[in-house]
Amino acid sequence: MFRSLSFLIAASFLSLPLQAKVVVFWQTGFPTAASQPIDRTTLEKSLKGLDPVFADETELGAADTLADSDLLVLPYGSSVPVESWKAIEHYLDAGGNLLILGGQPLRLPVSLVNGQYVAAVPQDTYSRALGFRHTYEVPVARDAAFHWRAGYAWLPPLEIHAQHFFAVEGRLNGLGYMADSAGQLVAAPIIVADHAGRGPDNRMAGSRIVALDFDPDPGYWESKDGIALIHQAADYAGQGATGFSVEALFSAIRPGEPPVLTAHLLFPRQQRLGSTVNGEVQLQLSSEKGIVSKTTIPLNGKPVEDLDVPFHQPLPAGFYTVSAVLAQAGQSREFYNNGFLVADRSALAAGPALAVHGDFLTLDGKPFFPVGTNYFSTEENGWDFSGPRNAAVWDKDFAEMESHGVSLVRTGVWMSNGKFINPENGGVDQRFLRNVEAFLQCAHRHHIAINFTFFAFSPRSGPVPRVQDPAVTPPNPYTDPSSVEAEQAYVRSVVEQFKDVPWLSWDLINEPSFSNPRQTFHGNLPNGDPTEVAAWHKWLAQKYVGLAALADAWRVTPESLSSFDAIPLPAAADLRYDRYGNPNQVRALDYNLFAQDLFSAWVKQMVALIRSTGSNQLIDVGQDEGGVTDRVLNQFYGGAGVSFTTNHTYWQDDSLLWDSVAAKRPGVPNITGETGYQPAWYPDGAWRYDEFTGLGLTERKWAVGFAAGSSGAMQWDWDREPDFGMLRSDGSSKVWENQMRDLGQFARRAAPFADALILPEVAIMLPQSYQLSVANGSALEAQQTAVRTLYNYARSQAYAVGEYQPELLGSPKLILLPSPFGLTDAAWSAIQQRVEAGAVLLVTGPFAEDAHLHPTERQAALGILYTVGPLLTRENLFHFPGGDETLTYSGLKTTTLSRVLLPDGAEWAEKPVGKGKILFAALPLELNSNLRAVADVYSYALKAAGIAQVYSTSITDPGILICPTRFSSATLYVLTSESNQTAVSFTDLRSGKSFAGTLPSGHAALLLVGTDGKLLANYNWPGQ
């Protein structure tokens, strides 16, 4: 996710006429699209004093037409002249400037066909070439008012009246905005893209593109405002790209300590031409009480300058801003604003404490449902705190977040930390710490708690070579003592500085993989360094009583293994399924279990390190869906000392509820720590999702962050980012902001009732041996089917317990074991004890096999005699006491799956065990495609176990989810729609209160219902 270059901010418009050539593309018969046509007379008025040259397609293609011109104007809205594109692109690549009047920039290719100009279908082909990735229409109320970007007070007031406003996503910024009645920026009808030429190919160095991306009301272009706007835009665009910023060495300083400030200027065009630059920088230092000091610094004629700002006086405590104006020829050109705080670090020690009570987070001793976002800055300066940072931007952004319901922000270091690590002690440098301090101070000013992340993807501390030798194996970041020592030195240096901040928590690592640092997000993969090999040998020796036991698990002879110290790590091919030819695939389970244990050990080390500083702050691991699929799993590391777990719900769009269920370890809070739609493109690169087409999916992801005992949702991220950002690239607000505001209001009202989680009466034991084998895909499908069937069809609820965490099973009345194919003895013993005590177990398909899927006599001990054979039939008539069902096993399932063969040919068995009962289906039900059949079996099991309903409904549409989470005095209902039906109704059985309303297709709603039936809080619920 990138953010637009904030220091390449748009300059002001000069009132003086341009002295160089302005070329206007003007072609008889050329169509205007998504804008109003502009006649030549209006253009001449608008460009008066600029001496425009009007050129048709033929002339535009001539080599000398655009040579040495300061500006090219395209006045036809979205239309782009295809025959002239090569000349236009060449001109821009050489640093030329472009002004586009109206429409969606370069959206509609127009070609000359048989003497007529013909428009192609709208597309992003030409705009993408200039960095404009996607465009779409945005809603703007008729009473919205136009104003220039903050700081450009010298620009004349204008009004913009338009039929349609558009957003453009890419590397750009807004220069003028439409603001609604609440002051929120809802569109940017003037956008600018400056190209400083810092890329590897120096492409478009010095080029500036300005677009008036709206469709005006008829007659607007001819109006006084329209003519003035075009003139201003042409003046501004012709100036070319300009970089202007003010840097603070430290964003936080101590009382009495002088600020160190530097003004930076970059004029790429003048740099390329070798020309001089004249002018001055006008600076003003202000506190929140008023102006402290002013000064003016003359430019030295250089196109690249770094100027010392002479505000060196010591300052008392407070928040300060430094505003700067670049002026040339007596005219203001550009504006920039930075800020810094003067404070003692001890000021951070005040405020409410983040803590944990049972299954929920607390803040100031009260239940806390975080609604929030990940955030670094809305300027582009990297995902860490190492370089120049802007506390004025932080303070402004946090203020906007606070007004939109944000209560928790996640930040930290996503980049290599080598550039800010002190090589002498391995700790961070002073600038990093001061920047973090200022960030925390700004958050605290707006009552927002912080979650700080140390590492991303793979932990590593210290310099990383730019070019790494692929033949050299890097150290294992989890097992190499020197690497872990460096990681701990880095973490310690940060925690010791901020260990007393009560509303600050620590995220050890974002989206970790084990253990190859060069292969992340691809499951657990060996690194192969000596320390990992040694750890692997030690782990095997501790897990297996001898080589004979290991050889039996892997189906090899003990002699072939030689010794534990001779066993190699699995190859990558051993860790993924192949239908034949590799008997070493059985070893995948052990390597994945090794990964869980070694990652958990690393977590324990880091938790102990943090606690050794005296910190009592919360600690988590910011895991994504690798924590419920195929990497290091929440259910394992959740017992390694973390305070809470997270899931980043990006990819499993069809299994969002399962995301929350599987991520939540009993007794440990879980939140959605990142979410948003993952980009989806058509084959030609056109976007499938944007702010509006992805709106429903985004809302469902936020809502399910409060489902099944999970208790919070955080967006990635508050940023001017094309796909995920809460802001558009131009700096205006996506509609998501108001959606987050409303969700935040719900969370604040609902949180006080989350005093204790009442677990459902159903437990799903997650078959982790199957999941951590090469059959991972089938294991996940079975889990996901179990959750969807139970909630969306059978209208019940469950909590999840991992097979390797059987001590957390609790006392459910019904245990679901979905298509396990194998199980550890410890897990089976825990299940059997619960059944003997009165629970009902529903298990489907082979279950008596061990963790490596080898036969045991477990079933015989129960009196259920069966053998296992291949599942060979696609269509199966399944008979059980609830009726006959058709089960379909499509794709390669009849090639890969097994089933149980009972002696009498039956498909179903029931076996009393102690006070309870086992319900057994011979087929792996959850891997068939008829979910209604699975639901019928689940409903039978629910009835057999005496499971009480939490709600009742007449809805039979499985696309409507009604998900209750019960507290002592209220029930939180999450409703989501994956259906084209909109009517929703249900009765809360605890209170007897019925609810009915309309849920828009694809969207979500939340209701908090008291035990008396009162609707205590709601989000997006149009009913009662």
Side-chain angles (χ1 to χ4, degrees):
M1 302 87 179
F2 77 85
R3 37 190 73 71
S4 301
L5 283 171
S6 60
F7 64 85
L8 295 180
I9 57 177
S12 69
F13 299 131
L14 294 181
S15 62
L16 298 178
L18 292 176
Q19 299 302 311
K21 186 167 61 176
V22 174
V23 177
V24 181
F25 170 60
W26 190 256
Q27 179 66 58
T28 301
F30 198 84
T32 297
S35 183
Q36 295 298 305
I38 309 176
D39 58 51
R40 182 161 175 162
T41 300
T42 298
L43 282 171
E44 289 172 340
K45 288 181 180 179
S46 301
L47 302 174
K48 184 178 180 181
L50 305 182
D51 298 325
V53 174
F54 289 78
D56 62 18
E57 273 203 300
T58 301
E59 294 166 328
L60 202 60
D64 60 344
T65 301
L66 291 173
D68 300 322
S69 64
D70 279 323
L71 181 66
L72 170 64
V73 181
L74 298 180
Y76 294 99
S78 304
S79 299
V80 53
V82 171
E83 277 73 16
S84 300
W85 178 251
K86 184 176 181 180
I88 294 171
E89 190 171 26
H90 178 76
Y91 166 70
L92 295 173
D93 278 346
N97 304 310
L98 177 64
L99 172 62
I100 302 170
L101 303 181
Q104 297 171 281
L106 309 176
R107 175 77 169 152
L108 192 69
V110 176
S111 303
L112 187 64
V113 180
N114 297 326
Q116 298 289 325
Y117 282 101
V118 178
V121 296
Q123 56 193 268
D124 299 327
T125 306
Y126 294 89
S127 61
R128 279 204 307 262
L130 302 185
F132 294 169
R133 296 172 51 190
H134 181 61
T135 178
Y136 53 95
E137 186 174 351
V138 297
V140 175
R142 294 299 294 183
D143 62 351
F146 173 78
H147 64 77
W148 300 105
R149 189 197 302 170
Y152 290 81
W154 62 83
L155 292 175
L158 287 172
E159 292 185 2
I160 291 181
H161 303 286
Q163 305 174 95
H164 306 281
F165 291 87
F166 305 106
V168 178
E169 298 291 6
R171 202 179 188 88
L172 54 94
N173 203 347
L175 181 62
Y177 296 97
M178 304 301 296
D180 66 14
S181 57
Q184 183 163 297
L185 307 182
V186 293
I190 307 173
I191 60 173
V192 56
D194 271 6
H195 296 266
R198 289 192 171 93
D201 58 0
N202 211 34
R203 182 171 182 258
M204 298 178 68
S207 175
R208 170 172 285 169
I209 302 172
V210 175
L212 310 184
D213 58 333
F214 61 94
D215 179 5
D217 286 348
Y220 176 78
W221 293 131
E222 295 78 20
S223 71
K224 179 181 177 181
D225 284 327
I227 290 172
L229 177 58
I230 294 171
H231 183 85
Q232 295 277 22
D235 257 350
Y236 170 63
Q239 298 300 319
T242 305
F244 180 53
S245 65
V246 176
E247 174 186 350
L249 176 63
F250 294 149
S251 294
I253 60 177
R254 303 288 170 248
E257 182 179 359
V260 179
L261 306 165
T262 307
H264 300 293
L265 295 100
L266 171 64
F267 299 87
R269 180 184 181 189
Q270 288 82 348
Q271 184 182 26
R272 186 182 74 248
L273 297 175
S275 57
T276 60
V277 178
N278 297 311
E280 62 185 22
V281 179
Q282 303 162 359
L283 297 120
Q284 177 175 292
L285 175 65
S286 302
S287 71
E288 292 178 294
K289 297 179 180 179
I291 298 172
V292 175
S293 184
K294 291 183 178 183
T295 191
T296 298
I297 307 174
L299 303 186
N300 297 320
K302 301 175 183 178
V304 180
E305 288 205 64
D306 301 309
L307 304 172
D308 176 64
V309 177
F311 294 144
H312 299 309
Q313 65 269 45
L315 299 166
F319 186 85
Y320 294 83
T321 59
V322 179
S323 58
V325 174
L326 171 64
Q328 293 181 289
Q331 301 295 322
S332 298
R333 284 276 312 279
E334 300 195 20
F335 175 83
Y336 189 80
N337 193 51
N338 203 334
F340 59 91
L341 293 104
V342 180
D344 285 318
R345 197 173 73 225
S346 59
L348 293 172
L354 273 172
V356 165
H357 179 71
D359 290 271
F360 301 109
L361 301 177
T362 64
L363 186 65
D364 201 22
K366 302 171 185 176
F368 177 48
F369 281 177
V371 170
T373 181
N374 293 256
Y375 171 68
F376 304 89
S377 174
T378 50
E379 289 191 336
E380 179 180 326
N381 47 25
W383 297 341
D384 61 31
F385 291 84
S386 61
R389 295 298 182 262
N390 190 326
V393 169
W394 286 337
D395 195 66
K396 172 184 174 295
D397 290 343
F398 278 122
E400 188 172 357
M401 291 181 210
E402 182 182 25
S403 69
H404 285 85
V406 171
S407 55
L408 178 66
V409 159
R410 180 169 175 258
T411 191
V413 177
W414 265 243
M415 320 287 282
S416 168
N417 68 9
K419 58 186 175 182
F420 55 83
I421 289 293
N422 184 335
E424 295 182 0
N425 59 21
V428 298
D429 62 26
Q430 189 63 207
R431 186 177 212 185
F432 181 95
L433 291 172
R434 294 290 189 95
N435 284 339
V436 171
E437 181 180 335
F439 186 93
L440 296 176
Q441 293 278 15
C442 291
H444 193 40
R445 283 162 58 92
H446 299 286
H447 314 99
I448 293 174
I450 297 295
N451 182 230
F452 186 94
T453 305
F454 291 110
F455 302 101
F457 317 126
S458 181
R460 180 165 182 168
S461 190
V464 178
R466 283 184 173 272
V467 179
Q468 300 185 44
D469 185 349
V472 176
T473 301
N476 188 306
Y478 297 103
T479 61
D480 177 67
S482 296
S483 296
V484 174
E485 183 180 353
E487 294 156 14
Q488 292 181 333
Y490 156 57
V491 170
R492 183 186 298 110
S493 70
V494 179
V495 175
E496 286 181 339
Q497 191 84 356
F498 303 111
K499 62 185 179 182
D500 297 321
V501 182
W503 37 269
L504 173 63
S505 59
W506 305 112
D507 181 341
L508 298 180
I509 183 169
N510 174 68
E511 300 176 357
S513 298
F514 186 95
S515 68
N516 190 329
R518 294 177 178 174
Q519 295 286 329
T520 56
F521 300 110
H522 298 291
N524 299 314
L525 289 170
N527 185 52
D529 66 290
T531 65
E532 183 184 11
V533 173
W536 170 244
H537 293 160
K538 181 179 180 181
W539 184 88
L540 289 173
Q542 291 175 340
K543 180 175 176 59
Y544 293 94
V545 294
L547 279 178
L550 177 57
D552 183 60
W554 288 358
R555 291 302 192 252
V556 295
T557 65
E559 292 75 16
S560 68
L561 296 177
S562 179
S563 71
F564 282 113
D565 288 341
I567 300 172
L569 288 161
D574 302 337
L575 302 175
R576 57 177 180 264
Y577 174 75
D578 200 349
R579 58 192 288 170
Y580 73 95
N582 184 2
N584 289 337
Q585 292 177 72
V586 71
R587 305 183 184 199
L589 170 65
D590 288 285
Y591 184 77
N592 280 312
L593 289 173
F594 167 73
Q596 308 306 318
D597 288 348
L598 270 289
F599 180 76
S600 292
W602 180 85
V603 169
K604 289 177 182 178
Q605 285 181 285
M606 290 298 173
V607 170
L609 171 75
I610 291 172
R611 296 292 177 239
S612 72
T613 68
S615 165
N616 293 314
Q617 295 150 311
L618 301 189
I619 303 170
D620 73 293
V621 168
Q623 182 59 300
D624 62 3
E625 285 164 322
V628 292
T629 56
D630 62 351
R631 302 206 314 274
V632 287
L633 306 182
N634 290 28
Q635 298 288 347
F636 283 85
Y637 76 75
V642 297
S643 311
F644 64 99
T645 59
T646 78
N647 191 9
H648 301 171
T649 55
Y650 282 135
W651 302 101
Q652 302 290 329
D653 294 349
D654 190 53
S655 304
L656 296 179
L657 179 60
W658 168 80
D659 260 340
S660 288
V661 171
K664 174 76 173 69
R665 178 181 164 113
V668 178
N670 182 73
I671 66 171
T672 297
E674 289 183 25
T675 197
Y677 68 75
Q678 276 289 340
W681 290 0
Y682 293 103
D684 64 358
W687 285 21
R688 174 180 173 85
Y689 288 143
D690 59 31
E691 169 185 354
F692 295 99
T693 55
L695 179 61
L697 176 59
T698 299
E699 184 176 58
R700 296 200 308 275
K701 289 185 174 188
W702 288 3
V704 174
F706 294 89
S710 289
S711 55
M714 302 179 70
Q715 172 76 4
W716 180 280
D717 62 343
W718 197 283
D719 189 5
R720 288 165 43 190
E721 196 279 331
D723 293 299
F724 303 90
M726 291 295 290
L727 305 180
R728 304 182 187 116
S729 299
D730 57 35
S732 62
S733 298
K734 291 179 181 175
V735 294
W736 301 346
E737 277 197 41
N738 290 339
Q739 185 174 276
M740 177 172 280
R741 175 200 61 205
D742 296 344
L743 186 64
Q745 291 173 352
F746 170 84
R748 285 194 299 274
R749 292 170 183 161
F753 295 89
D755 53 351
L757 177 66
I758 300 175
L759 284 176
E761 296 179 315
V762 181
I764 299 175
M765 178 163 280
L766 305 174
Q768 292 167 331
S769 292
Y770 196 43
Q771 179 177 356
L772 296 175
S773 75
V774 294
N776 173 266
S778 293
L780 298 183
E781 180 183 348
Q783 292 181 27
Q784 292 164 357
T785 296
V787 171
R788 180 174 287 275
T789 301
L790 183 67
Y791 279 83
N792 293 61
Y793 289 79
R795 301 294 173 186
S796 191
Q797 307 81 43
Y799 62 96
V801 177
E803 171 191 346
Y804 285 82
Q805 300 81 39
E807 70 279 4
L808 302 178
L809 182 57
S811 302
K813 296 173 69 175
L814 173 63
I815 303 168
L816 300 180
L817 189 54
S819 304
F821 292 95
L823 207 66
T824 64
D825 288 339
W828 179 251
S829 176
I831 291 173
Q832 190 169 354
Q833 289 177 23
R834 286 307 314 149
V835 173
E836 290 173 349
V840 172
L841 167 68
L842 172 61
V843 57
T844 65
F847 71 91
E849 286 57 42
D850 65 16
H852 290 86
L853 312 186
H854 301 321
T856 71
E857 294 302 314
R858 190 179 292 152
Q859 77 278 25
L862 292 171
I864 301 176
L865 302 178
Y866 77 63
T867 59
V868 176
L871 197 167
L872 299 173
T873 50
R874 187 181 196 276
E875 304 296 333
N876 299 268
L877 184 63
F878 175 78
H879 178 75
F880 81 115
D884 290 342
E885 306 286 352
T886 299
L887 306 180
T888 300
Y889 294 90
S890 57
L892 293 178
K893 290 176 180 174
T894 56
T895 303
T896 60
L897 296 182
S898 299
R899 59 157 298 163
V900 161
L901 302 171
L902 293 169
D904 56 0
E907 307 286 353
W908 180 265
E910 298 189 9
K911 184 69 177 179
V913 177
K915 298 179 181 178
K917 181 188 294 187
I918 294 177
L919 309 179
F920 173 55
L923 290 156
L925 299 183
E926 293 82 7
L927 293 173
N928 107 95
S929 57
N930 181 3
L931 269 62
R932 182 64 67 183
V934 183
D936 290 343
V937 175
Y938 279 16
S939 295
Y940 178 86
L942 290 165
K943 184 176 180 180
I947 303 299
Q949 288 182 289
V950 175
Y951 71 94
S952 63
T953 183
S954 60
I955 294 174
T956 59
D957 182 352
I960 302 296
L961 168 69
I962 304 174
C963 176
T965 299
R966 292 188 300 159
F967 312 132
S968 60
S969 60
T971 302
L972 192 161
Y973 285 93
V974 174
L975 313 180
T976 70
S977 167
E978 298 171 287
S979 171
N980 62 0
Q981 304 302 301
T982 59
V984 178
S985 61
F986 67 96
T987 299
D988 173 62
L989 295 179
R990 186 149 61 157
S991 66
K993 179 71 173 181
S994 295
F995 298 87
T998 299
L999 181 61
S1001 179
H1003 285 263
L1006 295 96
L1007 298 82
L1008 184 72
V1009 180
T1011 52
D1012 59 358
K1014 183 179 179 181
L1015 187 60
L1016 302 171
N1018 78 90
Y1019 166 81
N1020 197 32
W1021 180 247
Q1024 295 93 332

